[in-house]
């Protein structure tokens, strides 16, 4: 994501969350769950071991 999008999007999102507390609470909950799910997903992903294909006729 480009830096300018973050510089504009984060303050706008915070302002909307401040003006609409119920939206802010649900947005914060979603972000927390998303970060936790991403961390769990990265831990569970097995290391990829490159393998060569089996020779023809095997």
């Amino acid at each position: 994501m480009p830096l300018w999008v973050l510089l504009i999007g984060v303050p706008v999102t915070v302002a909307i969350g401040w003006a609409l507390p119920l939206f802010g609470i649900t947005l914060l909950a979603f972000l927390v769950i998303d970060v936790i799910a991403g961390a769990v997903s990265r831990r569970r992903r097995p290391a990829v071991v490159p393998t060569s294909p089996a020779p023809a006729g095997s």
Side-chain angles (χ1 to χ4, degrees):
M1 191 175 312
L3 180 60
W4 67 270
V5 172
L6 290 174
L7 292 175
I8 294 171
V10 170
V12 168
T13 303
V14 170
I16 291 172
W18 184 266
L20 304 169
L22 188 58
F23 174 73
I25 291 168
T26 56
L27 178 62
L28 182 61
F30 170 76
L31 290 174
V32 168
I33 291 170
D34 189 48
V35 166
I36 291 171
V40 169
S41 174
R42 272 183 255 119
R43 276 186 188 251
R44 289 189 176 183
R45 189 173 301 150
V48 177
V49 178
T51 58
S52 60
S58 295

